Amino acid sequence: MNSKISKQNHPLPNLSGLYQQALQQAFVKLHPRIMAKNPVMFVVWVGTIITALLTVNPNLFGTVTGDNLYLFNGLIAVILLFTVVFANFAEAVAEGRGKAQADALRSTKSETIARKLLPDGTIEQVSSTNLRQGDRISVVAGDVIPADGEVLEGVASVDESAITGESAPVLKEAGSDVASSVTGGTRIISDELIIRVTADPGKGFIDRMIALVEGAERSKTPNEIALTVLLAVLTLVFLIVISTIPPVAFYANSPVSITLLIALLVALIPTTIGGLLSAIGIAGMDRVAQFNVVATSGRAVEACGDVNTLVLDKTGTITLGNRLAEEFIPVDGYSVEDVAKIALAASIFDTTPEGKSIVRLAEGMDAQVDFNIKKATGVEFSARTRMSGTDLPDGGEVRKGAVDAIRGFVRSRGGQPSEDVNTAYERVSLLGGTPLAVCRDNEIYGVIYLKDIIKPGIRERFNQLRRMGVRTVMLTGDNRITASVIAKEAGVDDFIAEATPEDKIQVIQQEQAQGKLVAMTGDGTNDAPALAQANVGLAMNSGTQAAKEAANMVDLDSDPTKLIDLVTIGKQLLITRGALTTFSVANDIAKYFAIIPAMFAGAGIGALNIMGLSSPNSAVLSALIYNALIIPALIPLALTGVKFRPLTANQLLQRNILIYGLGGVIAPFIAIKFIDVTISAIGFA
Ligand SMILES: Nc1ncnc2c1ncn2[C@@H]1O[C@H](COP(=O)(O)OP(=O)(O)OP(=O)(O)O)[C@@H](O)[C@H]1O
Ligand SMILES: [K+]
Ligand SMILES: [Mg+2]
């Protein structure tokens, strides 16, 4: 795991305050409208009310005989109330962590004065709350940027620590695919920017973040709904089964009280998972937030756990990404100096990291351009042409780019690329580097070696993913040889070379057509369609607004490798849910054996009392006390997730059945026996 795992930019609130608030919330949540959302707990809640009534009048539903009826019914009512409150408490604790984060975020939001540019060029001072999408504003050093936007003019550094927790300032400039979007609430610390507002007040990135961490927009995920339905059906089945007991008991001449029937029902329905289900989901989103990733929904987090295929960029994701020019390799009798000169000419307008590093290398070799830069025009790099360059004042065209692209260019100008070019191309590619051919009109002068380094530890992470059954596909605009060298070294399962932006979306669709769930990262505007198409799209915060809107997650640290962590978090969420469901259902066996003998004690089937519990009443109370206490006991596990190992779904299932299934059968026998001994020792029941 990388070091980012432990990174927590958003401090957790003070714990006792958190628990106090959660306890209050636990009682507020007793409102029937809120309780109705959780069918299992709703049944317990109804049981609480009925047993409370039976405490006041044990003969409410007919005459009942027995000792200590008031006390027994009262104790059951209290235990059931605690069961419901504990479940609400679990959810409230999970929500509370997000609320504290939301408060911290909210403190960055304050109404400010914005300088709005009017069409006539004058500036009007307006409140930030009056800004609208499309407005143009000016911000200068020291200002809090009043709204989300896209930089139209200027270069400035911006302190984004309010949202990313990262104190190093970030450079923002117009026209760049990765640095042109700004977030409202961050602070500009140098120079001036002209910004086009892209979000109305209250709809910005920080507003969305607040709503999300607060859980305001949390709706049940498909898996959660499916599980809730299953739990409700199980509850209904037990309700029906238990309603058949009174006639049988009557026939056996051992009438059973309503209180005992309710006790048995509550013991058998899956209250443990019913009580913890929503806390598990909230905690999953919270864990993602602590990784500095903003998910637009719990569904997105959950989808991470179901991912089968991970589509990853090469440059910047698998490799370090700051591809630096390392060497100029001349061909066809040209000198290194010739190549440096043409490479410089072709890069003078290129603002990409690759372009800038070529300029640095060339200038380090004292290369100079011999034309009037003001009269020349830059030809911007595009992933489609895979070239960039300069049109010279004398009509000459210098270009650099992917070797096959430059070969095509040279041929179209009547040239004939030599075998020399091929040799240089292969040499660089076999090193895993990116070769860029440099040409002027119909002549190739040489090849630039852009060095690219595989991120340390990435191979191990791909191995982990493979063990989890996740296939990795590397996608790159680079040539086949480079791609295969890097793919082999990094240990990805598959790769696609010479990929255009359209290929990305095609790869995703192909995988999806085979029923796979696909995750990908991206930052550029041309990644937006693919980010939207993917089941999990992780956009970089440094990316364009379009990419961020299309994605269902945004990484505030702009670290594409985080997708791997997200898959792990998602899987852990699903496994935690599965493990606690297994545990919850397995528990019922012990509770059944504790309560059933008590019900038929009058009929003389006390022989069923295999647990040797001290009295029928004590057995029932012990089972229900265990049933209530197991919920708060499992809150820590629900919030932090079960220990995660990179295994396939099948292996994990087997492991869980063994640990949580077997453990779930055995643990309550011991615990119930222990509670029974304790309460009978203090002379209770
Ligand atoms: N600034 C540039 N000028 C000219 N050609 C470039 C420039 N940057 C990259 N290229 C060439 O264009 C190709 C495609 O670039 P693109 O950005 O689509 O993919 P990539 O950066 O190689 O890989 P990835 O898709 O993993 O980011 C590169 O492999 C390289 O040959
Ligand atoms: K139960
Ligand atoms: Mg690229």
Side-chain angles (χ1 to χ4, degrees):
M1 296 282 148
N2 76 12
S3 59
K4 286 258 157 67
I5 284 263
S6 56
K7 184 171 158 190
Q8 288 190 353
N9 289 326
H10 308 289
L12 281 182
N14 120 349
L15 275 185
S16 69
L18 179 94
Y19 289 144
Q20 255 173 37
Q21 268 187 10
L23 198 61
Q24 263 178 28
Q25 280 300 310
F27 284 95
V28 173
K29 285 171 185 282
L30 288 175
H31 193 291
R33 206 183 34 200
I34 303 178
M35 290 304 308
K37 287 186 190 156
N38 185 339
V40 180
M41 279 301 150
F42 188 72
V43 168
V44 182
W45 188 209
V46 172
T48 312
I49 293 165
I50 297 176
T51 45
L53 294 175
L54 286 169
T55 309
V56 181
N57 177 9
N59 299 318
L60 193 62
F61 303 108
T63 315
V64 185
T65 52
D67 310 326
N68 297 327
L69 282 179
Y70 290 95
L71 178 66
F72 183 70
N73 290 351
L75 285 174
I76 298 280
V78 170
I79 297 169
L80 295 192
L81 176 66
F82 269 99
T83 313
V84 178
V85 168
F86 285 151
N88 288 349
F89 179 72
E91 186 179 80
V93 170
E95 286 171 349
R97 303 208 294 186
K99 282 214 173 69
Q101 235 181 62
D103 290 342
L105 280 171
R106 204 172 271 123
S107 67
T108 67
K109 268 178 57 83
S110 51
E111 199 180 319
T112 47
I113 298 296
R115 273 186 302 280
K116 184 171 154 184
L117 300 175
L118 300 180
D120 63 6
T122 57
I123 286 182
E124 184 193 5
Q125 309 253 353
V126 299
S127 155
S128 59
T129 53
N130 289 332
L131 288 175
R132 288 294 173 273
Q133 244 185 68
D135 284 352
R136 291 191 313 142
I137 53 171
S138 143
V139 289
V140 296
D143 286 355
V144 169
I145 298 176
D148 290 4
E150 201 82 47
V151 178
L152 296 176
E153 279 170 49
V155 182
S157 35
V158 171
D159 173 4
E160 296 195 321
S161 59
I163 49 167
T164 63
E166 199 68 62
S167 55
V170 191
L171 198 71
K172 297 289 178 184
E173 59 185 318
S176 153
D177 226 23
V178 292
S180 64
S181 79
V182 291
T183 309
T186 58
R187 186 181 290 276
I188 167 167
I189 53 178
S190 77
D191 307 284
E192 179 185 0
L193 292 175
I194 306 292
I195 295 165
R196 187 174 54 82
V197 174
T198 53
D200 288 346
K203 301 253 173 67
F205 190 63
I206 290 200
D207 300 289
R208 269 192 292 156
M209 242 176 113
I210 291 173
L212 286 165
V213 292
E214 240 178 3
E217 283 179 28
R218 201 186 113 80
S219 50
K220 282 190 180 150
T221 64
N223 281 333
E224 232 174 89
I225 293 172
L227 189 51
T228 306
V229 169
L230 182 74
L231 297 181
V233 169
L234 216 57
T235 304
L236 190 68
V237 168
F238 281 123
L239 196 65
I240 294 168
V241 168
I242 283 169
S243 64
T244 63
I245 291 179
V248 176
F250 182 78
Y251 187 73
N253 214 1
S254 169
V256 179
S257 73
I258 298 282
T259 308
L260 274 182
L261 290 174
I262 290 174
L264 183 62
L265 176 65
V266 170
L268 292 186
I269 62 177
T271 46
T272 314
I273 184 64
L276 295 171
L277 184 58
S278 113
I280 297 170
I282 297 169
M285 283 192 77
D286 201 48
R287 226 167 299 142
V288 165
Q290 275 168 34
F291 258 77
N292 254 0
V293 172
V294 179
T296 55
S297 65
R299 190 191 189 121
V301 177
E302 199 171 72
C304 287
D306 284 326
V307 160
N308 311 100
T309 309
L310 219 53
V311 175
L312 300 163
D313 262 354
K314 172 179 74 86
T315 315
T317 304
I318 293 170
T319 64
L320 290 176
N322 41 353
R323 268 190 300 206
L324 300 180
E326 171 90 0
E327 191 187 335
F328 295 125
I329 306 165
V331 298
D332 300 337
Y334 286 106
S335 69
V336 174
E337 286 71 27
D338 294 331
V339 184
K341 196 169 157 188
I342 300 295
L344 178 64
S347 307
I348 207 88
F349 293 104
D350 187 353
T351 54
T352 65
E354 287 87 351
K356 286 179 188 160
S357 107
I358 292 168
V359 170
R360 258 196 316 274
L361 181 67
E363 285 179 346
M365 296 166 65
D366 294 324
Q368 277 173 353
V369 292
D370 54 6
F371 54 88
N372 184 348
I373 295 176
K374 289 208 180 89
K375 294 216 171 114
T377 25
V379 178
E380 230 182 281
F381 168 71
S382 93
R384 202 159 288 108
T385 60
R386 288 188 277 144
M387 293 193 286
S388 62
T390 308
D391 287 345
L392 306 179
D394 65 4
E397 297 169 304
V398 287
R399 294 288 185 273
K400 66 172 192 299
V403 176
D404 62 330
I406 293 296
R407 277 201 195 109
F409 178 85
V410 165
R411 281 199 195 100
S412 75
R413 302 294 188 270
Q416 190 48 257
S418 73
E419 190 49 34
D420 248 17
V421 178
N422 213 25
T423 312
Y425 157 82
E426 281 183 3
R427 202 194 104 197
V428 172
S429 301
L430 287 170
L431 289 170
T434 299
L436 291 189
V438 197
C439 72
R440 184 188 158 124
D441 302 325
N442 58 4
E443 287 278 335
I444 295 184
Y445 280 63
V447 168
I448 308 168
Y449 169 21
L450 294 178
K451 194 169 176 171
D452 209 358
I453 297 170
I454 293 182
K455 285 187 184 168
I458 198 100
R459 196 184 172 88
E460 175 47 31
R461 314 204 80 196
F462 288 143
N463 285 341
Q464 277 182 9
L465 286 169
R466 194 167 307 113
R467 268 178 267 146
M468 291 185 237
V470 177
R471 202 166 87 88
T472 46
V473 180
M474 179 184 91
L475 213 74
T476 177
D478 230 327
N479 71 72
R480 257 169 253 281
I481 303 178
T482 308
S484 73
V485 170
I486 298 279
K488 192 151 168 247
E489 255 181 73
V492 292
D493 297 315
D494 204 353
F495 70 90
I496 293 165
E498 286 161 20
T500 61
E502 289 77 33
D503 288 339
K504 251 187 206 178
I505 195 156
Q506 244 182 32
V507 172
I508 294 172
Q509 282 169 339
Q510 272 167 15
E511 292 284 324
Q512 285 173 335
Q514 297 169 30
K516 304 266 169 66
L517 258 71
V518 185
M520 71 157 285
T521 58
D523 53 11
T525 300
N526 56 24
D527 287 332
L531 283 169
Q533 175 74 31
N535 304 84
V536 175
L538 175 67
M540 303 293 101
N541 188 42
S542 60
T544 57
Q545 210 63 38
K548 287 201 248 180
E549 258 151 45
N552 46 15
M553 296 201 176
V554 177
D555 177 20
L556 300 176
D557 299 324
S558 305
D559 169 10
T561 15
K562 242 187 233 177
L563 194 54
I564 303 174
D565 298 312
L566 291 176
V567 169
T568 310
I569 294 177
K571 295 241 180 246
Q572 198 187 25
L573 167 72
L574 297 182
I575 292 161
T576 304
R577 197 140 66 199
L580 290 183
T581 305
T582 312
F583 187 81
S584 180
V585 174
N587 263 233
D588 289 346
I589 298 175
K591 285 176 261 178
Y592 176 82
F593 277 110
I595 293 181
I596 278 290
M599 304 195 74
F600 296 97
I605 24 183
L608 274 177
N609 185 6
I610 55 166
M611 291 169 80
L613 301 177
S614 52
S615 77
N617 278 2
S618 165
V620 175
L621 288 174
S622 303
L624 285 191
I625 289 173
Y626 169 81
N627 189 57
L629 289 181
I630 194 68
I631 296 174
L634 290 175
I635 290 178
L637 189 65
L639 295 188
T640 53
V642 302
K643 196 157 183 290
F644 182 75
R645 271 163 219 267
L647 300 171
T648 64
N650 251 339
Q651 293 166 315
L652 280 167
L653 188 69
Q654 285 172 9
R655 225 179 100 88
N656 279 338
I657 288 179
L658 202 71
I659 298 177
Y660 294 93
L662 209 59
V665 171
I666 297 167
F669 274 101
I670 300 167
I672 291 172
K673 178 80 189 170
F674 177 79
I675 299 171
D676 172 72
V677 169
T678 312
I679 58 177
S680 60
I682 40 179
F684 237 27

